[in-house]
Amino acid sequence: MYRMFMSCNFRTGFKLFKELAVDLEKENESERLKELDNAHVELLNAYVDCMNFSSAVQSLGENYQPGPELSDFKKLLASEISNVKANSSGDLQNLQLRHEFKQAIWNVHHSGQPMPGEEQEDIVMTGTQNNLRNTTCPISGKHVSELVDPVRSMECKHIYEKNAVMDYIRRKQQAARCPVAACPRILHPKKVVCDPLLRIEIEEMRTQFKGTATEVIEDFTELGEE
């Protein structure tokens, strides 16, 4: 619940940043816009750091096993954070949210025109969208947009419903191979997590789907009117 609350608040912040940037561009406030642009990068960094920390705390709580000696939880948490960061899919400059922020500013005076370096940007965005390697959980059968607690394998990047995949790993034990056809990777509880960008990518997919559905409905309505 905390992760969902935090993610929702950051998304609200990103939306407000984009709306303010558009207003500043319309008013030709270039200096203030530059300051806002820098703040946008800082917000993205803060979001990823918060989600990394949350993932590390969650992973430590689920996988901690007491030993004969006192545990150094500060050291254990630092190790978990390092593991999450090492397997994070986030290059901040290449995030969907970063692209949308720049695109919204560009569209104020250049709507319909490609941004400078658009071809390279297309490659970046394609790579970001491809992080959603599957659109349906191979265990529960649910679409990823319907998953209550989505997680992603750090090894193969496939997405699952958390309860379903953890139960699958427990049943299969050492032979818990990824259930996606032809995927040879083995699933480990510590390496199946909700990484910092997963919820953002799923939310972007939902937004794109809603936009497409709305366009289809509008086209159908226009045909009916004719």
Side-chain angles (χ1 to χ4, degrees), residues 10 14 40-50 92-93:
F10 269 103
F14 291 132
H40 187 260
V41 174
E42 292 179 6
L43 182 63
L44 283 169
N45 274 293
Y47 175 77
V48 173
D49 285 344
C50 286
L92 292 183
Q93 295 298 325

Side-chain angles (χ1 to χ4, degrees), residues 15-199:
K15 181 180 179 181
L16 291 174
F17 262 66
K18 185 165 62 174
E19 292 174 351
L20 181 56
V22 168
D23 289 340
L24 290 176
E25 179 67 9
K26 289 179 179 178
E27 297 170 4
N28 296 315
E29 295 279 358
S30 57
E31 289 300 320
R32 294 175 63 189
L33 183 58
K34 184 177 180 180
E35 293 177 2
L36 187 68
D37 183 79
N38 292 333
H40 187 260
V41 174
E42 292 179 6
L43 182 63
L44 283 169
N45 274 293
Y47 175 77
V48 173
D49 285 344
C50 286
M51 295 303 288
N52 281 337
F53 182 81
S54 178
S55 294
V57 170
Q58 182 177 348
S59 177
L60 182 61
E62 292 174 348
N63 299 295
Y64 171 73
Q65 295 293 334
E69 300 180 357
L70 290 176
S71 299
D72 186 342
F73 285 101
K74 184 177 181 179
K75 185 176 180 180
L76 290 173
L77 182 58
S79 177
E80 287 293 339
I81 292 174
S82 295
N83 289 336
V84 172
K85 285 183 176 180
N87 291 279
S88 173
S89 56
D91 178 347
L92 292 183
Q93 295 298 325
N94 297 343
L95 291 180
Q96 177 85 9
L97 289 170
R98 185 66 179 155
H99 177 270
E100 289 186 354
F101 180 79
K102 290 290 190 180
Q103 185 73 62
I105 296 171
W106 176 260
N107 287 344
V108 172
H109 299 300
H110 307 88
S111 182
Q113 302 176 30
M115 288 196 299
E118 187 69 32
E119 292 182 1
Q120 289 79 5
E121 193 72 30
D122 286 343
I123 294 173
V124 167
M125 294 314 302
T126 299
T128 302
Q129 292 168 351
N130 282 344
N131 284 330
L132 293 180
R133 300 251 346 240
N134 54 299
T135 56
T136 302
C137 172
I139 302 173
S140 68
K142 294 180 180 179
H143 194 275
V144 295
S145 63
E146 300 174 350
L147 299 182
V148 176
D149 197 356
V151 290
R152 176 158 48 194
S153 168
M154 295 180 181
E155 298 289 341
C156 61
K157 304 302 181 183
H158 287 120
I159 301 165
Y160 321 87
E161 177 70 77
K162 183 177 180 179
N163 289 339
V165 72
M166 290 304 175
D167 181 62
Y168 173 83
I169 293 173
R170 282 192 293 269
R171 286 187 286 106
K172 296 290 184 178
Q173 298 182 356
Q174 299 301 319
R177 198 179 79 173
C178 175
V180 174
C183 182
R185 299 289 187 174
I186 301 298
L187 301 177
H188 302 280
K190 290 185 178 182
K191 293 188 176 183
V192 181
V193 299
C194 183
D195 62 74
L197 301 183
L198 180 55
R199 291 191 181 276

